[in-house]
DNA sequence: TTAGGGTTAG
């Protein structure tokens, strides 16, 4: 409930903001208990603001500062979603909110009959006629229309009610009310075009020029993620002399958030609202908060979250859930848990959305056990699971390969009569597809058809991707044909997946051509698209003769044909590898060109891009060539450039900043952060900053970047790149040496497991075993390949011990940097200055 | 008029 006398609004993202020391320096090691977590004193004082009343002036209700670099934005962390933000066609309508409208018993009965009756049936008119004497005009009809929007997906029923009730109206006001209800209903159903038609009719016939009708249409666009259309309607209502009210502003701000518009545009609308003498309410703030949450801007979200107390707006369950979502996106799960734990004291009880948000946060970081523990906590608290929550659970079981649990959850869904939706099927198809269970995938597709669950673009993208990755190009082509016939529009995910397939099969030139084609079609590539192509340059490349995949096609239709042709060619196998010596210079030019395109299009790189750039550096023959690439880092991000350049040049002072970067990487899932560590150590090793590479690896090991890397006498390198692995071998042998010199006896055998070096992206080093074998030979370490395990080197403890005790061994094991300098040059200082945390 | 879930790069 908003305070009646808000004191001030102070939303200025650039203003200095009071900071407090994060109490989360030592995250709790125990299993998270959302409601049992006890806040630290410094944090609890930050949350003393009541959910419904203004904070006292003595309290300071801001949340702790994140421990992130000011230069590492959400893009770096991959927190910014690359998904289409709108949830149109999700087939999961929200339950009706009966508190909003007080429908008469007759209206409720009529709605029940309408719900049971088939669309376009004459029985609908019969029912409306029979209920007519008991229904008030326009209130009951408006109520029925709203409820149909909440629970039905049948626009013809809404149209029937609308046209029937319009014949009963006595004046323009009543017509206007019904019009607004019909627009709202159609918008909720996802039929924004129909909503627009109805709106235009109302406008033409003289009862649609109202703030209500305009606001309803804005909202209809908002629900469907169409922010530019919503803004256009908002501007047109002003041009017609109508004064937007709170609902209009809230709707357009909501539309901007859902449509992925820059949240600063929403902030402009917020200021305009104040300028026009309107008083933003909690929904305004919640929508603004959601806008910042969607793009992962924690700092702005935190300011709004605090401001809601300062200005007397108060916080509700939506506020908390939205804020917790952005905290989860920042990777700070400890803070998320603490914010949840403070909700009850502020009069707001965590609900299924709160838990789903935190659970998904853990899941995205690969912390599945903590996520699953929270499901148990939900059960113990009696919080009912809903469809979204079940989908989150299924997604975790998919990622962790718990197929028996998946079957159990599917049965549970059946028992609870919770229907699987497009999200559920997409998740299941992707999971089973990645496991190669195409039999299950076919069954799932069949079930979708039988149950009339509409496939989305993502369903087709997923199918094409899993078939392509399995080399089943004919099946992929068939799905593409089906997709083409569906009338759905291709999107960036579909194209990115296809470009990745071309890239991975050595057809990088074609991948770049398709990148241009998708732009011609108005589909903007995202960071994933670019990362796929940049990374592909490191793989073996195929040249294609004139009768190969592509003749330049241009237009929309041609592009579809080209895709089918490409699948056909991929199925046959085409081309010939390009000789190594012709690759490097061409590759450099192509990658530099891609960087330019990214900059031109405002596509911000993330940590995966940086890993790809570093890997490209590792493929360069000279330090000068690599510098050309690393300078590109500077165009994107001074922070990463400063750290990388500093490490490559051997500036000792750079380690403070480097550790800040490593701490930031802790907020990411293991595969992402280990890929970056691998890329960084590879480039350092490649350019003979060997001690630097070793220090980076040890920072990674300390932060548990690689799972099961190191037990005392058995070294597991299988997740490491060649540079990281070689640096690690030296560090591990030095550690064993110190154990030997301390007088301890080594076990019977010590071993090094190499696996296949699956994370190394450096051309020619895909077999980690060979690299380690060469290293061990070079340094004279007495290890041999195990007879029945070609990925494991072993040595009797006594033999290794004797070797380590030889006088010359220590000098062989100690690593050095080729470039070693004390101080950072003055010209680099400005770049690094802002990194001080 | 406000909150959570599915995909493509590593």
């Amino acid at each position: 409930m908003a305070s009646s006398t808000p004191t001030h609004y102070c939303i200025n993202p650039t203003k200095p903001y009071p900071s407090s020391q994060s109490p989360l320096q030592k995250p709790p090691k125990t299993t998270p208990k959302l409601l049992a977590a006890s806040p630290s004193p410094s944090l609890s004082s930050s949350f003393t603001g009541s959910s419904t009343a203004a904070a006292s002036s003595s309290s300071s209700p801001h949340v702790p500062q994140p421990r992130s670099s000011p230069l590492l934005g959400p893009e770096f962390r991959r927190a910014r979603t690359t998904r289409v933000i709108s949830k149109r066609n999700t087939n999961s309508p929200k339950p009706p909110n009966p508190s909003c409208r007080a429908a008469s018993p007759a209206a409720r009965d009529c709605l029940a009959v309408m719900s049971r009756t088939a669309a376009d049936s004459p029985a609908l008119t019969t029912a409306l006629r029979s209920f007519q004497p008991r229904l008030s005009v326009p209130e009951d009809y408006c109520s029925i229309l709203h409820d149909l929007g909440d629970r039905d997906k049948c626009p013809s029923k809404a149209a029937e009610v609308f046209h029937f009730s319009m014949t009963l109206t006595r004046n323009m006001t009543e017509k206007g009310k019904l019009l607004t209800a019909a627009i709202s209903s159609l918008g909720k159903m996802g039929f924004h075009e129909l909503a627009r038609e109805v709106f235009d009719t109302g406008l033409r016939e003289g009862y649609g020029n109202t703030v209500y009708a305009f606001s309803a249409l804005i909202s209809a666009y908002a629900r469907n993620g169409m922010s530019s259309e919503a803004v256009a309607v908002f501007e047109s209502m002003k041009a017609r002399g109508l004064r937007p009210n709170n609902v209009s502003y809230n709707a357009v701000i909501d539309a901007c958030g859902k449509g992925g518009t820059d949240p600063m545009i929403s902030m402009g609308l917020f200021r305009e609202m104040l300028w026009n003498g309107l008083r933003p309410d909690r929904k305004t703030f919640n929508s603004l908060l959601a806008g910042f949450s969607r793009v992962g801007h924690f700092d702005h979200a935190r300011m709004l979250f605090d401001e809601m107390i300062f200005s007397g707006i108060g916080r509700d369950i939506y506020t908390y859930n939205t804020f917790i979502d952005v905290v989860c996106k920042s990777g700070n799960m400890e803070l998320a848990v603490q914010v949840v734990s403070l909700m009850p004291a502020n009069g707001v009880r965590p609900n299924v959305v709160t838990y789903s948000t935190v659970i998904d946060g853990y899941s995205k970081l690969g912390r599945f056990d903590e996520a699953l523990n929270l499901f148990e906590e939900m059960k113990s608290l009696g919080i009912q699971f809903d469809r979204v929550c079940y989908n989150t659970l299924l997604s975790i079981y998919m990622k962790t390969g718990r197929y028996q649990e998946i079957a159990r959850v599917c049965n549970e869904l059946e028992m609870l009569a919770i229907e699987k939706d497009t999200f559920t099927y997409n998740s299941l198809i992707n999971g089973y597809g990645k496991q190669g269970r195409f039999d299950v995938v076919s069954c799932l597709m069949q079930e979708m058809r039988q149950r009339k669950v509409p496939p989305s673009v993502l369903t087709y993208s997923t199918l094409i991707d899993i078939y392509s990755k399995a080399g089943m190009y004919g099946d992929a082509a068939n799905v593409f044909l089906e997709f083409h016939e569906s009338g759905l529009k291709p999107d960036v995910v579909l194209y990115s997946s296809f470009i990745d397939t071309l890239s991975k099969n050595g057809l990088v030139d074609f991948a770049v051509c398709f990148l241009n084609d998708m732009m011609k079609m108005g589909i903007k590539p995202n960071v994933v698209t670019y990362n796929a192509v940049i990374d592909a340059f490191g793989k073996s490349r195929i040249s294609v003769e004139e009768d190969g995949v592509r003749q330049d096609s241009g237009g929309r239709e041609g592009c579809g044909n080209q895709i089918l042709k490409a699948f056909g060619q991929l199925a046959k196998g085409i081309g010939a590898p390009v000789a190594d010596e012709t690759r490097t210079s061409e590759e450099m030019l192509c990658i530099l060109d891609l960087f330019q395109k990214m900059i031109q299009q405002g596509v911000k790189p993330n940590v995966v891009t940086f890993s790809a750039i570093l890997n490209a550096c590792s493929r360069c023959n000279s330090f000068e060539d690599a510098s050309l690439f690393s300078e590109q880092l500077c165009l994107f991000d001074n922070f990463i450039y400063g750290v990388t350049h500093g490490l490559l040049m051997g500036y000792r002072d750079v380690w403070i900043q480097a550790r800040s970067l490593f701490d930031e990487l802790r907020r990411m899932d293991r595969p992402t952060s280990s890929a970056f560590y691998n890329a960084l150590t590879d480039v350092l090793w490649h350019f003979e900053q060997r001690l630097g590479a070793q220090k980076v690896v040890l920072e990674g090991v300390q932060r548990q970047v690689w799972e099961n890397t190191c037990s005392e006498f058995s070294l597991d390198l299988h997740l490491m790149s060649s540079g990281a692995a070689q640096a690690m071998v030296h560090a591990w042998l030095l550690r064993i040496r110190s154990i030997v010199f301390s007088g301890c006896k080594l076990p019977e055998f010590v071993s090094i497991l190499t696996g296949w070096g699956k994370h190394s992206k450096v051309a020619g080093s895909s077999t980690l075993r060979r690299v380690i074998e060469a290293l061990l030979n070079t340094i004279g370490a007495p290890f041999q390949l195990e007879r029945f395990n070609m990925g494991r080197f072993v040595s009797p403890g006594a033999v290794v011990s004797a070797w380590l005790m030889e006088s010359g061994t220590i000098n062989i094991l100690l690593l050095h940097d080729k470039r070693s300098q004390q101080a950072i040059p003055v010209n680099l200082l400005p770049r690094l200055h802002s990194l001080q945390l």
Side-chain angles (χ1 to χ4, degrees), chain A residues 10-30:
Chain A
C10 188
I11 304 298
N12 179 1
T14 58
K15 74 173 181 179
Y17 206 78
S19 64
S20 63
Q21 176 64 39
S22 166
L24 306 171
Q25 300 292 335
K26 289 182 181 174
K29 286 180 183 170
T30 51

Side-chain angles (χ1 to χ4, degrees), chain A residues 184-227:
Chain A
S184 169
S185 179
L186 291 167
K188 284 177 188 170
M189 291 175 182
F191 292 92
H192 57 84
E193 296 100 336
L194 282 174
R196 177 82 209 202
E197 280 177 29
V198 171
F199 170 83
D200 285 338
T201 307
L203 213 54
R204 216 171 31 247
E205 295 181 0
Y207 49 85
N209 195 32
T210 68
V211 173
Y212 303 103
F214 274 90
S215 300
L217 186 62
I218 293 167
S219 176
Y221 283 133
R223 287 174 186 281
N224 291 279
M226 301 168 73
S227 54

Side-chain angles (χ1 to χ4, degrees), chain A residues 459-481:
Chain A
T459 317
Y460 291 107
S461 302
T462 303
L463 284 164
I464 292 169
D465 189 65
I466 58 175
Y467 286 133
S468 297
K469 282 192 168 63
M472 298 162 69
Y473 302 113
D475 295 272
N478 285 336
V479 175
F480 181 77
L481 276 172

Side-chain angles (χ1 to χ4, degrees), chain A residues 447-465:
Chain A
E447 192 178 297
M448 269 183 102
R449 278 189 280 267
Q450 278 168 355
R451 299 187 176 188
K452 299 197 180 340
V453 178
S456 63
V457 184
L458 194 51
T459 317
Y460 291 107
S461 302
T462 303
L463 284 164
I464 292 169
D465 189 65

